[in-house]
Amino acid sequence: MRSALGEPDARAAVTFLGADRIEVLRFTEDDLVRYATLGMSAQPMSDPTAVLADPVKGPRAELVLTVRRGTGADTDKVLRPLAVLAASPQVEGLVVAPGASLDVGGPLWPGAPFTSVLVAESGGLVEDLELDAPADPVRFLPLLPMTPNEAAWKRVHGAQALQERWLTHGTDLRDPGRASVSLT
């Protein structure tokens, strides 16, 4: 992460009962703030229906959220919700993958119009981190904030359709106060 994002200017750690410690690092560059989890990839994610989890093989990921700063939004309060999402594979047995929706059960930060995120494809901002075989690489998955209406629309029409709608309407997904994209 440091080679792609530089040195973090803040970090916070959260420990959940029955889960490893999760850190959230903050990287600031010009008018952007990036929050990245650290610790989610310590163990591979495994199918919750599997009788025995493989301690080495399986997808590994960290989460990255990018927002614009200077808008008055208190986005630093996203640290705990991000840590909760990063702990969900260990706590709830979720496999976090591109196209998935992750709901935090409330605003991502105080006053945020977003209560969930869409998990996007890796390989953009932070390259995948190759690990020694047979371990899978660590994927750095961007998170795209969704309003409740966008999340409901995505459940019906799919992740690709929502991303196309954002693109068609020129939606600034980094705007921490943006309104929902037109869904009609």
Side-chain angles (χ1 to χ4, degrees):
M1 280 192 279
R2 285 187 171 127
S3 64
L5 305 176
E7 287 297 317
D9 60 3
R11 66 188 325 141
V14 180
T15 304
F16 300 97
L17 187 61
D20 294 333
R21 173 184 163 122
I22 301 290
E23 289 188 65
V24 180
L25 310 176
R26 183 182 72 191
F27 300 87
T28 306
E29 179 187 340
D30 300 324
D31 69 335
L32 298 178
V33 180
R34 291 188 173 90
Y35 300 94
T37 64
L38 182 62
M40 179 178 169
S41 63
Q43 298 176 28
M45 294 179 273
S46 59
D47 182 346
T49 62
V51 177
L52 197 57
D54 190 312
V56 178
K57 287 185 171 183
R60 295 174 189 260
E62 296 293 348
L63 308 174
V64 181
L65 173 71
T66 303
V67 294
R68 292 198 187 290
R69 68 179 177 159
T71 62
D74 192 6
T75 58
D76 278 349
K77 301 284 187 194
V78 76
L79 301 176
R80 183 160 181 77
L82 275 181
V84 168
L85 295 177
S88 62
Q90 289 181 49
V91 175
E92 299 175 28
L94 292 178
V95 175
V96 178
S101 298
L102 303 174
D103 194 298
V104 296
L108 284 174
W109 54 82
F114 318 108
T115 57
S116 61
V117 294
L118 175 64
V119 180
E121 292 286 339
S122 68
L125 183 64
V126 182
E127 291 182 25
D128 295 347
L129 175 64
E130 295 297 327
L131 301 176
D132 293 336
D136 289 10
V138 176
R139 308 222 182 272
F140 296 87
L141 302 172
L143 299 179
L144 309 174
M146 293 189 295
T147 65
N149 286 345
E150 290 169 337
W153 197 86
K154 183 253 178 202
R155 281 190 295 275
V156 173
H157 300 282
Q160 184 64 34
L162 179 58
Q163 289 177 312
E164 288 172 9
R165 185 155 298 268
W166 282 335
L167 187 60
T168 300
H169 289 275
T171 305
D172 181 1
L173 296 174
R174 295 174 176 173
D175 179 354
R178 75 169 175 84
S180 183
V181 71
S182 174
L183 300 171
T184 56

